[in-house]
């Protein structure tokens, strides 16, 4: 038997209510903040991600789905959504649009990870990018949007963590101090961290290995080594978050797993005990557009994994509005009634009323059972007698109450009960 590839899932009809609920809320919330939708290709030239996400990150080193196409080009299935949006910003001359350009996306993301709960090889992200302004008020607005989105979905047991990791002027000096700290008295680091000391020292701070955590806890903090501009930016950000009444905590070990971040980084985590999995993450990436060949253009954004939101909604028992079902099931007895049922079902659909009728030669009882199993509110029964008198029996499937009405009144009757 064929199975879905490891780390991927089919999203079955009974799960779809969660997905539509999140998508609709995401779109309506983002629109309140002036974002417009962008859709980029599922694959891009590999170099785009090498350059932006960073050659020394887990994503580029070991998680990308990269292949050569038939034309000999190196292609990569998108492992994140920010770099494609920046590529599109440059390709379409969006620096000529009013700044900041605010874009959102809903896309599938591919990472060759070790699958576990909340971690998949194909997942789906909702992301927002605000490109073209460095004001910390924009950082606060983006963080507010992220928070409001999760909160309005019904996730109330969440925490917001922020940090500043400086800019290209002040970070080198901080990294030197961090390396110096790690060079002395840290023999027990995990093999990954031993490599990070040389190649990507910032990532030492968010190592999940227990033996590395106490070392990281006591490490020099980036916020103590910011240049005056970054310091000013960070203190303004905290002030604005206060204005917006957002409850944040500064996490000195928050550095994010992609190399393009500058200054502000943030994550939203579930409070639930033992669930360490980030629901949403983002930050500033003031140098990325320039790295990709554009003019210096500051920017900030975030993304959240839809699968992780679904997991948290289920864990928290958040009630989800059901998807609309057809309102009526037309049940018939005999061939003549069947013809009437087919016509009536079509007529209702043309009037925008969801209607079903059973194909095949099912008994009356079996048709009623089907209507019940599908959770349809009303059944309409057409038999010999109803055909002759031009009437229909209407049954409320929730109360089992029945009444007979003239056939031509059906549409109005159903419309009044929508
Ligand atoms: P990220 O932290 O790598 O950031 O991913 C964003 C979110 O996607 C995570 O917080 C998590 O909810 C979800 N996620 C990541 N990996 C997986 C996975 N393997 N399975 C399920 N869910 C996952 C980014 O991708 C950045 N592009 C975010 C950003 C936008 N920064 C600025 N703008």
């Amino acid at each position: 038997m064929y199975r879905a590839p490891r780390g991927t899932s089919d999203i079955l009809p009974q799960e779809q209510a969660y997905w539509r609920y999140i998508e609709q809320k995401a779109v309506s919330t983002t629109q309140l903040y002036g974002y417009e939708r962008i859709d980029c290709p599922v694959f891009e030239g590999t170099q785009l991600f090498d350059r932006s996400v960073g050659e020394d990150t887990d994503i580029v080193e070991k998680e990308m789905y990269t292949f050569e196409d038939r034309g000999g080009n190196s292609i990569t299935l998108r492992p994140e959504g920010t770099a494609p949006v920046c590529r599109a910003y440059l390709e379409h001359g969006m620096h000529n649009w009013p700044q900041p350009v605010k874009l959102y996306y809903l896309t599938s993301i591919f990472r060759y990870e070790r699958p576990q709960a909340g971690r998949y090889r194909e997942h789906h992200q909702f992301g927002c990018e605000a490109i073209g302004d460095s004001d910390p008020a924009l950082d606060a607005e983006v963080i507010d949007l992220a928070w409001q989105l999760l909160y309005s979905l019904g996730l109330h047991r969440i925490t917001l963590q922020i940090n500043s990791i400086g800019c290209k002027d002040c970070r080198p000096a901080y990294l030197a101090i961090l390396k110096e700290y790690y060079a002395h008295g840290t023999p027990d680091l995990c093999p990954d961290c031993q490599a990070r000391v040389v190649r990507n020292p910032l990532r030492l701070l968010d190592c999940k290995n227990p033996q590395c955590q106490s070392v990281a806890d006591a490490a020099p903090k980036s916020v103590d080594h910011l240049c005056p501009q970054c310091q000013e930016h960070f203190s303004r950000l905290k002030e604005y978050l206060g204005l917006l009444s957002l409850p944040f905590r500064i996490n000195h070990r928050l550095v994010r797993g992609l190399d393009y971040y500058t200054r502000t980084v943030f994550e939203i985590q579930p409070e639930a005990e033992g669930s360490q999995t980030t629901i949403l993450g983002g930050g500033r990436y003031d140098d990325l557009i320039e790295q990709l060949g554009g003019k210096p253009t500051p920017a900030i954004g975030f993304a959240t994994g839809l699968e992780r939101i679904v997991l948290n909604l289920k864990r928290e028992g958040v009630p989800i509005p059901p998807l609309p079902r057809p309102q009526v099931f037309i049940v018939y007895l005999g061939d003549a009634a069947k013809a009437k049922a087919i016509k009536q079902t079509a007529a209702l659909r043309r009037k925008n009323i969801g209607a079903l009728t059973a194909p095949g030669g099912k008994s009356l009882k079996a048709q009623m059972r089907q209507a019940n199993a599908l959770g349809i509110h009303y059944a309409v029964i057409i038999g010999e007698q109803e055909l002759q008198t031009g009437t229909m029996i209407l049954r409320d499937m929730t109360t089992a109450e029945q009444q007979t009405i003239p056939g031509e009144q059906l549409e109005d009757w159903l419309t009044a009960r929508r």
Side-chain angles (χ1 to χ4, degrees):
M1 214 193 353
Y2 294 109
R3 304 190 71 94
R6 199 163 125 76
T8 71
S9 327
D10 302 309
I11 306 167
L12 297 176
Q14 59 265 33
E15 288 289 303
Q16 293 288 342
Y18 282 95
W19 288 73
R20 297 292 86 75
Y21 171 64
I22 299 167
E23 285 169 13
Q24 282 165 14
K25 193 73 89 183
V27 170
S28 61
T29 308
T30 335
Q31 276 168 357
L32 297 175
Y33 292 73
Y35 284 74
E36 294 179 292
R37 179 162 178 147
I38 184 164
D39 291 289
C40 296
V42 170
F43 57 84
E44 301 269 355
T46 302
Q47 264 216 338
L48 177 68
F49 300 113
D50 287 349
R51 280 251 174 99
S52 54
V53 175
E55 309 246 15
D56 294 329
T57 57
D58 285 352
I59 294 179
V60 171
E61 263 189 352
K62 45 191 184 201
E63 294 174 0
M64 294 208 304
Y65 281 86
T66 297
F67 59 96
E68 197 172 287
D69 72 9
R70 287 167 194 271
N73 310 298
S74 181
I75 294 294
T76 292
L77 300 187
R78 132 184 92 205
E80 65 101 42
T82 309
V85 170
C86 291
R87 195 261 311 132
Y89 178 93
L90 288 168
E91 186 169 338
H92 302 287
M94 293 187 203
H95 59 277
N96 292 319
W97 301 8
Q99 307 291 297
V101 173
K102 292 173 160 184
L103 300 168
Y104 77 84
Y105 48 88
L106 261 165
T107 53
S108 45
I109 301 284
F110 305 89
R111 296 182 187 175
Y112 190 81
E113 300 208 62
R114 207 152 53 82
Q116 50 192 286
R119 191 173 299 282
Y120 311 102
R121 291 185 175 167
E122 181 191 29
H123 72 275
H124 298 79
Q125 284 188 3
F126 176 76
C128 288
E129 313 292 350
I131 307 176
D133 203 304
S134 63
D135 190 337
L138 184 61
D139 304 40
E141 187 190 85
V142 166
I143 295 173
D144 184 53
L145 164 55
W147 180 267
Q148 296 307 331
L149 168 61
L150 296 184
Y151 207 83
S152 67
L153 281 167
L155 296 180
H156 299 166
R157 302 200 316 139
I158 48 178
T159 58
L160 166 63
Q161 304 184 357
I162 63 166
N163 195 14
S164 175
I165 55 170
C167 66
K168 59 174 182 282
D169 295 332
C170 54
R171 197 182 308 158
Y174 169 62
L175 292 184
I177 291 166
L178 198 60
K179 272 190 182 182
E180 178 70 17
Y181 164 80
Y182 271 91
H184 292 104
T186 51
D188 294 338
L189 292 181
C190 72
D192 277 351
C193 277
Q194 282 170 20
R196 285 175 187 139
V197 175
V198 186
R199 300 182 60 185
N200 202 346
L202 208 55
R203 291 302 310 281
L204 288 161
L205 295 176
D206 78 342
C207 181
K208 304 289 179 284
N209 251 307
Q211 81 233 50
C212 304
Q213 299 219 353
S214 54
V215 185
D217 278 338
K221 301 175 171 113
S222 57
V223 290
D224 294 336
H225 301 275
L226 298 176
C227 61
Q229 292 78 4
C230 286
Q231 252 173 37
E232 167 75 5
H233 195 273
F234 193 48
S235 59
R236 283 290 184 82
L237 169 63
K238 289 183 284 185
E239 188 186 316
Y240 293 139
L241 290 177
L243 279 181
L244 296 170
S245 306
L246 291 177
F248 64 88
R249 182 170 83 76
I250 298 171
N251 175 355
H252 299 294
R253 289 181 46 195
L254 177 59
V255 293
R256 311 274 302 130
L258 302 97
D259 276 357
Y260 49 60
Y261 291 110
T262 51
R263 292 188 166 173
T264 310
V265 286
F266 63 98
E267 285 187 354
I268 298 181
Q269 315 269 358
E271 253 173 33
E273 235 170 277
S275 62
Q276 293 302 319
T277 339
T278 304
I279 310 179
L280 179 152
R284 265 205 173 273
Y285 47 95
D286 288 345
D287 303 329
L288 182 53
I289 299 262
E290 191 181 2
Q291 265 168 36
L292 297 177
K295 288 190 293 202
T297 309
I300 177 162
F302 70 83
T304 175
L306 270 69
E307 287 83 355
R308 291 200 188 165
I309 296 183
V310 172
L311 274 175
N312 282 280
L313 288 171
K314 287 183 178 172
R315 182 168 46 215
E316 298 289 313
V318 176
I320 304 299
L323 290 176
R325 307 278 308 146
Q327 194 184 3
V328 63
F329 196 108
I330 303 191
V331 172
Y332 53 84
L333 193 65
D335 273 352
K338 179 175 182 176
K340 174 81 183 159
I342 290 172
K343 258 184 95 165
Q344 184 65 70
T345 309
L348 289 173
R349 288 170 180 160
R350 282 159 181 62
K351 296 289 183 183
N352 232 5
I353 295 174
L356 297 177
T357 192
K362 287 196 179 83
S363 71
L364 190 77
K365 216 167 150 190
Q367 293 177 59
M368 293 296 281
R369 260 206 310 273
Q370 190 175 357
N372 203 27
L374 291 171
I376 309 289
H377 199 157
Y378 299 108
V380 165
I381 304 160
I382 310 176
E384 290 276 306
Q385 196 184 334
E386 287 72 36
L387 267 186
Q388 277 168 20
T389 54
T391 58
M392 294 175 178
I393 299 173
L394 259 166
R395 182 182 172 90
D396 185 323
M397 301 296 285
T398 55
T399 60
E401 274 169 37
Q402 288 199 173
Q403 60 180 295
T404 301
I405 61 164
E408 66 273 13
Q409 286 180 15
L410 180 63
E411 184 193 324
D412 289 345
W413 194 94
L414 288 170
T415 305
R417 282 160 185 79
R418 269 214 267 191

